[in-house]
Amino acid sequence: MIKKLFLVIFLSLGLFFSFYHLPEQYIFEYDREGNYYAAKSIVVDHKLTLIGPAVHASIYMGPWGDYIQIPFFIAFRGDPIYGAYLIATVNFAVFLLIYFLLRKVSHSQLIAMCAALLWVSSANRLNGLVTFIPLFSMIFLLLYEKFIREKTTILLSLLTLVWSLSLNFHPQMVLLAPIWLYGVILFFRGRRKTWLKSLIILSIALLIPVLPVIIFDFRHNFLISHAIIKFLSGETSLPTGSGVSQFRFLYSLRQFSLPVVLPLDWLNHNPLFSVLLLSLGALFVSLKKRFYYLLLISIGSILMMRLY
C-alpha cells in the first residue's frame, strides 16, 4: 500500500513538473516558429518535406522532427501552443525512461526516483529538436542494456532503428555510433548460419529513418553526399568568426550542467558543478566498469559543444 502511494505521488510530481503552467511559460519564436510552419506546410498546404534543418552547408538532417509535430498540430487545430504540449509529453516520457533505466542499472528505486524528479523539475520547455536528445538517448540505452543480455535480432534491429531515427533530430546523436557498432560486432561475432538474414533486417532498420533524405539526395544530383564529402575532406569547415571556430573548454563544461537547475544561483551554470557531475560518473564507472560507455558519452557531449 505504501509503495503504491509513493508511486502515485511520484507520477503526480512528474506530470506536475511537465505540464504546470505550460501556456504561460512557452515561448513562440526562432526554432518554434520554424517547427510550426513546417508542420503547417505538411498539414495545410499538403507539401511533404523530405529534409529537415541544415546542419552545415547543403548537409541536412532528416524530416522526422517535422513529422512528429503533425499529430499535435492536428489535435490543437493549428494553434501554436501545441508545441508546448508536445515537449511536455516528451519530458514526461523521458522522466519515466530515466526511472526505468536507473532502476535497472542501480537496482535502487530511491536513486531512480530522485534522478527522474531532478531531471523533470529542470526540463527544457521549448519546442526544439534538441529536446528530443534525452528521449532517444534513454530509449537507446534501455534497448542496449536489454540487448547486451539477450543479443537477439529483434533487439539489435530496434536499437538500430532508434539510433538511425535519432540522427534526424540532432547531429549529437552520432555519439551513440561507437556503442551501436560495438553491439553489431558483438552480435555477428560467431554467428554463421543466420548472419545474412540478420544483416538484411538490420540494413532495413538502418535505412528506413533516413530514406526521405536518400530520396531527396537522389533527386537533387547527390547534393548532400557531395557536401558531406567536401566537409570530411576539409574543403569546407565550420564557420569562422561566429564563436565556434575554437573549442572553449570552460563554456562546454558550463553547458554540460545547464539542464540541472538547482535553487542555488551560484551553483547553476557552473563549470565546477559540471566537474563534480563528471567525477561522480567516473566514480560510478569505477565501481561498475560495464557502464564505461555512459561516461564516454558524457565526455563526448562536451567535445560536441564545439559545433555550437
Side-chain angles (χ1 to χ4, degrees):
M1 182 66 181
I2 296 178
K3 286 185 177 181
K4 290 183 179 179
L5 179 61
F6 270 110
L7 185 60
V8 170
I9 295 174
F10 173 69
L11 293 175
S12 299
L13 286 172
L15 288 168
F16 171 79
F17 284 122
S18 297
F19 289 91
Y20 179 70
H21 278 192
L22 276 181
E24 292 85 350
Q25 298 188 38
Y26 186 63
I27 302 175
F28 184 68
E29 59 183 11
Y30 302 118
D31 291 344
R32 272 61 65 190
E33 290 187 34
N35 293 330
Y36 173 80
Y37 285 112
K40 181 176 179 293
S41 177
I42 295 173
V43 177
V44 179
D45 302 329
H46 307 294
K47 296 179 179 178
L48 185 66
T49 180
L50 295 175
I51 55 172
V55 177
H56 189 49
S58 299
I59 301 177
Y60 298 91
M61 292 189 296
W64 292 95
D66 296 331
Y67 294 170
I68 203 171
Q69 312 273 332
I70 294 173
F72 287 83
F73 183 94
I74 295 173
F76 285 84
R77 299 181 179 179
D79 190 331
I81 197 63
Y82 83 84
Y85 288 90
L86 167 60
I87 296 308
T89 303
V90 170
N91 287 339
F92 184 69
V94 174
F95 161 77
L96 295 176
L97 290 168
I98 289 175
Y99 171 77
F100 287 123
L101 177 62
L102 290 184
R103 182 73 187 275
K104 284 182 173 293
V105 170
S106 67
H107 304 289
S108 170
Q109 189 167 4
L110 178 61
I111 291 176
M113 283 185 168
C114 289
L117 287 172
L118 177 62
W119 185 88
V120 77
S121 62
S122 308
N124 188 344
R125 294 194 172 205
L126 298 178
N127 181 19
L129 297 183
V130 68
T131 314
F132 289 88
I133 293 178
L135 177 67
F136 284 106
S137 297
M138 290 299 106
I139 297 174
F140 181 91
L141 293 175
L142 274 168
L143 286 171
Y144 178 77
E145 284 299 311
K146 190 172 179 61
F147 166 75
I148 286 297
R149 293 193 302 270
E150 302 179 16
K151 296 182 181 65
T152 63
T153 302
I154 184 65
L155 282 174
L156 184 59
S157 299
L158 287 173
L159 189 71
T160 302
L161 184 68
V162 168
W163 178 62
S164 183
L165 183 61
S166 72
L167 294 174
N168 287 261
F169 290 81
H170 203 277
Q172 186 170 336
M173 302 311 294
V174 75
L175 286 172
L176 298 177
I179 302 172
W180 171 77
L181 188 59
Y182 173 75
V184 172
I185 294 172
L186 200 65
F187 177 79
F188 282 103
R189 188 173 58 187
R191 187 177 291 264
R192 298 178 180 177
K193 294 183 178 180
T194 60
W195 69 270
L196 182 58
K197 179 182 176 182
S198 298
L199 183 62
I200 293 173
I201 295 173
L202 203 63
S203 300
I204 293 173
L206 184 64
L207 289 175
I208 285 177
V210 296
L211 190 58
V213 177
I214 294 174
I215 295 173
F216 175 89
D217 198 33
F218 181 77
R219 291 174 58 183
H220 292 79
N221 297 318
F222 304 102
L223 174 70
I224 299 176
S225 298
H226 291 151
I228 293 174
I229 292 172
K230 286 183 179 180
F231 178 77
L232 294 177
S233 64
E235 292 184 37
T236 60
S237 59
L238 292 173
T240 57
S242 60
V244 298
S245 58
Q246 293 183 349
F247 175 54
R248 298 169 291 168
F249 185 67
L250 288 179
Y251 170 78
S252 298
L253 277 178
R254 289 191 185 99
Q255 293 299 111
F256 179 74
S257 61
L258 182 62
V260 181
V261 180
L262 299 174
L264 299 171
D265 292 337
W266 61 271
L267 194 60
N268 294 323
H269 213 202
N270 189 319
L272 294 178
F273 182 47
S274 297
V275 171
L276 175 62
L277 293 177
L278 285 170
S279 300
L280 290 174
L283 177 62
F284 172 76
V285 170
S286 68
L287 298 174
K288 293 183 177 289
K289 291 182 174 57
R290 190 172 71 81
F291 300 106
Y292 72 93
Y293 66 90
L294 295 177
L295 184 61
L296 292 179
I297 291 174
S298 301
I299 295 173
S301 67
I302 295 175
L303 298 176
M304 284 288 288
M305 287 307 299
R306 184 182 182 276
L307 299 177
Y308 287 83

